[in-house]
């Protein structure tokens, strides 16, 4: 029986182990994907240190793959495009469709996405950090347009899709809005891109270190604020005011996850402005915050995590046809499967902007 | 092997035939429903006359049933409420979750709802006009709250859910809006109810014959306009203007399906008002209409068909706790399964407001 | 020259002084209003203690008055209704129409509303706590419908209009939403009323003391949580969860202004729920808050202060025709002009729910 | 007394007459504008042929001017930017702020904009086709940013502002939407620009003659459909389907005003798509239309005329900083004031895309 390799999480803080697994037979409706590329996400790194996280598990949820085999009855992608072996795809677990969250159009409470499914039972291969990934019957599939590189396709599901979801929730970016992006990591870069394509007038990126801010400029930022230079929150708030005619930004998007960031953002947004909070994904416990600003400035605010299927369709198309910036440059580090632990380290040290595993390289 | 009866559509304009079917065995995840009540809808009557409609088919898509048997693994409804045999439920086919429409949050293109599935293959029992209805594995289920009668529960899926969907699409009814409802059938009555619960100031129902308008008043209409009395569209438009301080209605909801109704509605809505079009479900071919009114009056307009799962959750809860009007009075005619053709006739002659089949009576 | 009296703020913490003023001549376009009723608002009480607040000033911005004299050219109200001397009106300063805020549809930055204008210069009479109030040329006017009592008309501009503005900003209350109202003062009562008219399924009011909660029940609350009984925030959060099937409330409206309220509200709202923050009008400085909840639960959140003209039109019509609850009972204390300081005291001691001055009683 | 010239409408179908007027003295708050540029709009041409249109009147409502003199008390523009003589501005009559439309945030019912005010009374100079234009006290003013040319500034109030208003009303263009623009005149070109800046994937412009379609490509159109080549509506509908993967366009914007255009647009938009109707500004009487499509396809639809002040702020900023396309090329013809009738003719013959008058050239 043919086998393949995958990197397995075997317990908190232990190195991921590359193990061998059988390549499974296909049920009707299932798809076997040969993995091209999977990004190391902050969530993977976080879970890697979490003693309560279930194991064994194959991480990797930002994935690009190629159809190796199509199960019986799988003929087309979500857009009705015919599928065949050798086509590159983006995929998701299909939501259950019958839980409360599915019924209100939010993220399914029942179905886990690939990269978050325990690997103890066959077919085991449920995460991107492996040579193959097995999609359960009736997966959600999107064929990657031929002219679109794997690198650009991957960026559509890093930052961009989540921010797009969030921008919808705050009622959109209006033509000529000034936008502040807090954070210069992959999510911040996605927010920068989204603001640009939505017609922002001025996009200000706050972050560090300087090379990331340089990259931000290359990706379309009009202004950057280096937190190494503007060390105090009040300095950064003052600088934003200065750059927005004293009025504050029309839209602020928090992508940093920093402990002072939320309060800073409240101070940066203008009266009747909007604040999208993507970055506060980890519980830092209670922080000193003045909700008074929300009322006084009549701020519209939304949190967001993840995205809905149509956001992925849209960001993939965007990477193909709308955005001219070299977003593929955000992928700074590439590792073969055997170097998965080095990839994690490059993420943790902030050395990599985006580090990817090439499981079949 | 136990058997049961169901009324089968066997071809256009032929009487529905009550036929015998085996009561099927349950797959894991499936549910066998014993039908309590199924309404005859205008769509059923329309399809009954359509030579291109597939047969055999068991009609009936506005249904209330009781759980006869639960397949393995079915434990809770959409709200997380435990389920057991004997519980009353509202149900739907679960959407596929991977087609384009599912991905954008619209009605699934792939999965047919019960009442629209051919009956030629086992388990056959796929419509409400039968003693039993077989729900495929993983159905969408909502337990009917104990205090809520079958009659009121049924009304939640007649008119109300579709209109609620539509009202969302036009951005809601604002507090104290004046609302015109074109049509005094079941959909119009649902629109009346929805307008009332949304805080309308004045609801004007246009329709006929007089007993239906009387019923509309009992359901909360402030004013009615009898099309038998106000025979010309321009008279009705003038009357609406008179009842809305000369300004026109804030919101118009077309539920009549009449050939002059759309143009009338455009004339009735005020500047910057809203127009929801539920009733134009059949293609009457080109009609004389002046789109100029849409531009000049800056009208917001939306069509709507059917509903999403959360609308059903909400209308069922509404019937249980929010609405005090005796909506159950809209069910004017009740028939045993054997009289299904008489039920259809009572609908076609406008004799019945809502006619229901009681398949196990 | 005819004179009249008004209560004047003459410096922080000093008793308001009833002083005599000339009744002014009317410019073209101006209106002289004989005051019927003006409510003591928390803002008045707050400003009364503020050493930086300008004086002399006649407070009173929640007002009902009668047209004493109409300036040349004033013929109709905002709805086109003819005006004459003796008509009762609600009024506002007309926004400038050319500042940034006016241009984006937010509250005018330039024009001060009546009750907030210094009284040092003629025509002096610019607040509700006086026998007459002088409206500058081209005021915004709404005739009070004849069947509507002064008491009910006044309640339309206490709480209700602001909350209505806020509910619009969070995208509305959906049919059958469960709503938690934090606070049982006048704003909380307005939130309760607004939730009811918008079709809420269950409204839970959190507050104290017990008589206010009794009143809340009379105004339509389904459940109340007494903060004297449920002393700890976590108890109140647990109770809300219990009352909302463990899921949390669909909508939370903060109307209390308490220092723990914002964090509590974040904990009470369900995943993908909405949080409207009306009460955090005063700066308590930094409070311990976990913004993580906003991201994790994908909360939609909005602050709000004051209202726009159309909200007043709508709440006045609502009091006239939509709401059947005895909202006039919220006016618990009535004082002649000379007892204005007693009125303020009744507010500060929480003795009064709403205290009003009857300047011409 | 100093005098100046202006072109005056003196009755339907009569040539506009260049007449002499005194340059008026300034009231406090007023502004005297020296006109730089005023576009001939289809509305001007239409009114020129309208026997019921009041005269004398100085047309010209799409205007760029320079501050000649500032009345007392006029210090800043809408963004708070200081103003001085010699600054270039865009201006509007300030809305009344107290009519019903103002109260609901729609176009003022009371105040006429410059270019639509009879010229029979002093100060006469109320339209753009004159050397000077007198702004009544308290006008709405926006300083044109120094780097922005008059040509580009003018284009911000031709098509773009109205379409931006409309796009807001249909809930925005979503990232990667396919957009069909019906019409290749100035409004259509504005729609094309707006779709591009909002992140459209593919913009298809339908119009004629070929040079306009060439220009559309230069302005960013991906595809054009020549109505001279695709003569039948059904051919154009088929072509749009072909260009949108058989699904129809996500968004259609009607800017042509053609009698078949509305029905064509309904056929071009996809299920659950959006249709913005800008072009149906003239009453062609009843046209053959099938409202059935609106219901069946669950179309969201909105009419729009004109814009709100914030749309102008945004389109001016857009022309300055967001849009890189050479929109100034749309100004194809320039005329001195004395050739105003030739300018009108160049518009009527479709020879000019945009014809402008340079009143002080």
């Amino acid at each position: 029986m043919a086998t393949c390799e995958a990197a397995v999480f075997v317990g908190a803080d232990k190195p991921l182990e590359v193990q061998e697994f059988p390549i499974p037979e296909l049920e009707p409706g299932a798809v076997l994907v040969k993995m091209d590329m999977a990004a190391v996400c902050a969530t993977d790194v976080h879970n890697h240190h979490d003693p309560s996280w279930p194991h064994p598990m194959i991480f990797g949820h930002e994935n690009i793959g190629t159809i190796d085999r199509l199960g019986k009855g799988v003929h087309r992608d979500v857009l009705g495009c015919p599928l065949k072996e050798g086509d590159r795809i983006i995929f998701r677990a299909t939501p259950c469709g019958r839980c409360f969250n599915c019924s209100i159009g939010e993220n399914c409470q029942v179905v886990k996405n690939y990269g978050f499914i325990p690997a103890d039972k066959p077919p085991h291969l449920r995460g991107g950090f492996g040579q193959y990934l097995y999609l359960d019957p009736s997966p959600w599939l999107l064929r990657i347009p031929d002219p679109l590189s794997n690198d650009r396709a991957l960026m559509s599901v890093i930052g961009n899709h989540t921010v797009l979801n969030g921008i919808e929730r705050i009622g959109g970016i209006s033509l000529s809005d000034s936008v502040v992006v807090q954070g210069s990591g992959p999510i911040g870069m996605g927010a920068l891109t989204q603001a640009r394509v939505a017609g922002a007038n001025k996009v200000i990126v706050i972050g560090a270190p300087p090379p990331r801010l340089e990259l931000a400029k290359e990706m379309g930022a009009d202004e950057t604020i280096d937190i190494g230079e503007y060390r105090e929150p009040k300095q950064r708030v003052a600088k934003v005011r200065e750059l927005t005619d004293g009025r504050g930004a029309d839209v602020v998007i928090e992508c940093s996850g920093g402990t002072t960031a939320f309060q800073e953002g409240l101070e940066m947004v203008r009266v009747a402005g909007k604040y999208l909070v993507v970055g506060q994904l980890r519980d830092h416990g209670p922080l000193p915050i003045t909700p008074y600003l929300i009322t006084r400035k009549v701020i519209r605010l939304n949190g967001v995590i993840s995205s809905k299927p149509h956001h992925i369709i849209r960001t993939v198309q965007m990477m193909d046809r709308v955005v001219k910036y070299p977003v593929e440059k955000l992928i700074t580090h590439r590792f073969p499967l055997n170097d998965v632990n080095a990839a994690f380290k490059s993420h943790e040290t902030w050395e990599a902007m985006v580090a990817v595993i090439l499981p079949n390289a």
Side-chain angles (χ1 to χ4, degrees), chain A residues 31-233:
Chain A
V31 176
L32 187 68
V33 177
K34 190 168 184 185
M35 285 299 306
D36 289 308
M37 191 181 278
V40 177
C41 174
T43 301
D44 296 322
V45 173
H46 183 268
N47 293 343
H48 185 215
H49 297 307
D50 180 353
S52 72
W53 202 257
H55 60 90
M57 185 179 286
I58 302 169
F59 289 161
H61 57 274
E62 296 168 345
N63 299 321
I64 302 294
T66 295
I67 296 174
D68 191 72
R69 270 183 291 147
L70 283 173
K72 197 182 157 191
V74 187
H75 300 302
R76 294 181 179 273
D77 80 348
V78 63
L79 294 177
C81 179
L83 293 174
K84 63 180 188 305
E85 290 167 13
D87 285 346
R88 294 173 307 145
I89 51 169
I90 285 186
F91 49 84
R92 274 199 169 187
T94 297
C96 82
R98 58 187 198 277
C99 69
F100 179 71
N101 276 10
C102 280
S103 295
I104 62 172
E106 295 291 338
N107 292 324
C108 181
Q109 301 159 274
V110 174
V111 173
K112 286 187 178 126
N113 210 349
Y114 296 102
F116 298 102
I117 304 173
D120 50 341
K121 288 183 210 139
H124 307 291
L125 303 165
R126 303 308 192 79
F129 300 155
Q131 292 182 289
Y132 288 89
L133 193 152
Y134 183 92
L135 299 178
D136 284 329
S138 303
W140 186 92
L141 302 171
L142 177 65
R143 191 180 182 282
I144 298 173
D146 290 333
L148 184 62
S149 71
N150 281 344
D151 286 11
R152 291 182 70 87
L154 183 68
M155 291 315 298
S156 71
V157 290
I158 298 181
N160 284 280
H161 63 140
T162 303
V163 173
L164 177 60
N165 185 2
I167 287 174
E168 271 186 15
R169 287 169 189 264
I170 57 169
I173 285 178
S174 298
L175 174 60
S176 189
D177 270 346
S178 59
V179 179
V180 165
V181 175
Q182 300 176 280
S184 58
I187 308 284
M189 294 293 183
L192 162 58
T193 301
Q194 291 299 319
R196 276 272 87 102
V197 295
N201 182 344
K202 183 184 281 193
V203 185
I204 303 163
V205 173
I206 305 174
R212 289 197 169 193
L213 299 180
E214 282 309 304
L215 200 51
K217 288 223 161 167
E218 202 174 342
M219 298 299 144
D222 298 287
E223 306 275 353
T224 58
I225 299 176
D226 183 342
I227 62 172
E229 185 181 348
Y230 294 78
R231 293 182 165 276
E232 295 305 314

Side-chain angles (χ1 to χ4, degrees), chain A residues 55 77-78 101 116 193 206 215 219 221 244-245 275 280 285 289 295 297 313-314 320 336 352:
Chain A
H55 60 90
D77 80 348
V78 63
N101 276 10
F116 298 102
T193 301
I206 305 174
L215 200 51
M219 298 299 144
T244 54
D245 302 322
Y275 192 14
Q280 300 293 311
I289 284 165
T295 300
K297 297 205 284 189
I313 298 175
R314 291 180 176 282
D320 186 29

